[in-house]
Amino acid sequence: MNQLLIASTLALCALQLPGCAWRSYADHVYTDADAQRAHSITMATVTAVRVVTIERATTGAGAAAGANVGVALGGFAGNGNGNGQFAGAVLASVAGELAGRALESRAARLQGLEISMRLDDGQQIALVQAADVVFRKGDRVRVLSAEGKSRVTR
């Protein structure tokens, strides 16, 4: 019985993992929807750079996976009778859910840059993206834009 519970819990956790996949905010990563699509290019000069935190939306998969693992592990608690095992499973489920939620929240944070720029036409804009490329005040950059999304590249 316990082996069946553990196997089914692990299977549920594996099914929830795809919910942990997030869109990248890096300047060198394109989604399949962005590929083979024309982007307009505007030249600009960086006027300021500020480190920020990008907080991606959480899916709840961490909390659900944590609760499932908690139930499986908590089922071993107690002295072999049904009440002790049930109480252990409930308490471990709550603890697992809280731990899973905290881990997912931490994983959903990404270091980013707010890049302020003066476009060659004089307009000033700011854009936030992943901090995977270093930009400095005075850098000449390209702003690639398509369908309401933009990114800064060299």
Side-chain angles (χ1 to χ4, degrees):
M1 171 66 177
N2 282 337
Q3 289 177 341
L4 178 61
L5 179 63
I6 291 171
S8 62
T9 300
L10 290 175
L12 281 172
C13 291
L15 289 173
Q16 293 169 352
L17 286 178
C20 295
W22 286 295
R23 177 185 172 279
S24 174
Y25 291 93
D27 82 325
H28 65 281
V29 177
Y30 287 84
T31 66
D32 57 345
D34 292 332
Q36 296 182 331
R37 189 165 295 202
H39 289 74
S40 65
I41 300 173
T42 305
M43 297 303 295
T45 302
V46 175
T47 57
V49 178
R50 184 171 72 107
V51 175
V52 297
T53 299
I54 299 171
E55 230 174 47
R56 297 178 278 199
T58 57
T59 63
N68 288 332
V69 171
V71 166
L73 297 177
F76 294 116
N79 57 2
N81 66 26
N83 291 336
Q85 285 182 328
F86 179 74
V90 169
L91 290 175
S93 173
V94 171
E97 185 264 339
L98 293 173
R101 182 175 296 173
L103 286 172
E104 183 181 15
S105 176
R106 185 171 295 129
R109 292 185 178 175
L110 171 71
Q111 186 175 21
L113 296 176
E114 178 188 81
I115 307 161
S116 298
M117 298 159 280
R118 180 180 309 279
L119 303 179
D120 284 354
D121 67 4
Q123 180 184 4
Q124 291 193 36
I125 63 169
L127 193 137
V128 175
Q129 67 185 37
D132 61 329
V133 177
V134 177
F135 294 100
R136 291 184 179 83
K137 184 177 180 178
D139 284 351
R140 288 291 291 165
V141 295
R142 300 180 315 152
V143 181
L144 281 66
S145 301
E147 297 183 15
K149 294 190 293 184
S150 299
R151 65 180 73 214
V152 181
T153 65
R154 296 206 183 278

